[in-house]
Amino acid sequence: MIRLGVNIDHVATIRQARMIDEPDPVWAVVLAELGGADQITLHLREDRRHIQDHDLDRVLATASVPVNLEMAVTDEMVGIALEKKPHIVCLVPEKRQEVTTEGGLNVANNFDTIKKTVTSLHGGGIRVSLFIDPDPDQVQASSDTGADAVELHTGAYAEVWGKEEAIRELARLSEAALLAHRLGLRVHAGHGLNVRNLAPVVRLPHLEELNIGHALIGRAIFVGLQEAVAEYKTLIAQAEYR
Ligand code: PXP
């Protein structure tokens, strides 16, 4: 059964729009778990635009499923991860001006820094996943860092969904997943997934985990978070066993 990681950043995005204390991302942890979330994912950005440091503490204290901390490759973030000890860290590229994580990490070009970061996090007993584009060179470099998993960026596929290019993007994802598995990496995926484009991603070879935020939280505005998570769990199960 493929695990569903629910990204709760956008609950904090709404809260930060008013700089007050509600809605609280911790409420989202409880409801997401009631809906069947297998993991809680949150991104502590360097600019703290949504999730705050105290959210990470409270989410870690509340969640009974594993917590996946997305973070940039910086000394500050490594220090926070080693102190707070999430179950897994997903290293992502971060640019201040971007609206969301735009591309994957360039592991091949930043190999020494990323390998050192993976080693430090492993030293603290934290598993590490690298968020990369579905590119064979990036998969190979990720394996060489000693990371445990890759999260394949599905954004390019999501952007062309419904067009012919989607077939090529799915093939890239599929080849990257096969290579990652062959190299001993666990295969995760995420970004831009929604109820329409999800099914082919669920059927990627060796896929173990999906992380979904924007579309799921957007749906939760209308049907409630517990229900939205339950819907995504059903969609994943249906696509997986079809
Ligand atoms: N995975 C990673 C590594 C991400 O950075 C994000 C966005 O925060 C997601 C998954 C979820 O993407 P979306 O919000 O488009 O579902």
Side-chain angles (χ1 to χ4, degrees):
M1 179 85 193
I2 290 167
R3 296 188 300 276
L4 172 61
V6 174
N7 183 313
I8 58 169
D9 294 348
H10 280 342
V11 178
T13 302
I14 295 173
R15 179 192 62 193
Q16 295 311 108
R18 285 290 174 92
M19 304 294 238
I20 52 173
D21 60 359
E22 66 177 5
D24 188 334
V26 168
W27 303 342
V29 170
V30 176
L31 289 169
E33 287 193 25
L34 281 169
D38 302 294
Q39 170 170 277
I40 300 297
T41 295
L42 73 176
H43 186 172
L44 184 66
R45 291 188 75 105
E46 289 184 274
D47 61 10
R48 309 298 198 270
R49 71 171 70 157
H50 39 52
I51 295 292
Q52 306 296 306
D53 298 59
H54 63 81
D55 292 325
L56 176 58
D57 290 329
R58 294 164 61 248
V59 165
L60 282 165
T62 307
S64 55
V65 293
V67 173
N68 170 30
L69 174 63
E70 295 175 359
M71 60 176 228
V73 185
T74 66
D75 290 343
E76 185 205 9
M77 287 299 153
V78 172
I80 290 172
L82 289 174
E83 188 197 331
K84 312 286 187 198
K85 299 252 192 269
H87 302 85
I88 183 161
V89 157
C90 180
L91 295 175
V92 300
E94 228 177 79
K95 285 189 236 127
R96 259 168 211 268
Q97 304 311 323
E98 70 191 357
V99 177
T100 181
T101 320
E102 280 166 1
L105 268 182
N106 194 334
V107 187
N109 276 11
N110 300 286
F111 183 77
D112 292 342
T113 314
I114 293 173
K115 184 174 167 70
K116 192 174 131 239
T117 303
V118 170
T119 308
S120 302
L121 292 167
H122 277 169
I126 302 167
R127 285 181 297 127
V128 186
S129 154
L130 304 180
F131 187 46
I132 57 166
D133 291 328
D135 173 309
D137 292 342
Q138 298 299 339
V139 176
Q140 180 64 58
S142 299
S143 164
D144 294 342
T145 65
D148 304 275
V150 282
E151 179 167 330
L152 299 176
H153 197 315
T154 49
Y157 155 74
E159 264 176 41
V160 295
W161 182 82
K163 302 189 190 136
E164 223 172 291
E165 299 103 282
I167 294 165
R168 199 188 57 223
E169 289 301 331
L170 273 175
R172 286 180 69 211
L173 285 161
S174 191
E175 279 156 28
L178 286 168
L179 177 61
H181 178 74
R182 199 165 349 114
L183 294 171
L185 290 159
R186 293 184 175 273
V187 180
H188 306 166
H191 210 281
L193 298 176
N194 59 35
V195 292
R196 294 177 300 281
N197 65 22
L198 185 67
V201 175
V202 170
R203 293 196 280 269
L204 285 175
H206 308 296
L207 186 80
E208 291 188 36
E209 176 183 309
L210 288 171
N211 286 295
I212 306 181
H214 184 87
L216 194 158
I217 299 294
R219 188 150 180 90
I221 293 171
F222 302 104
V223 302
L225 183 56
Q226 182 177 336
E227 177 64 24
V229 174
E231 282 179 10
Y232 272 83
K233 285 286 291 182
T234 303
L235 282 169
I236 291 169
Q238 283 170 347
E240 204 175 351
Y241 296 115
R242 210 188 63 169

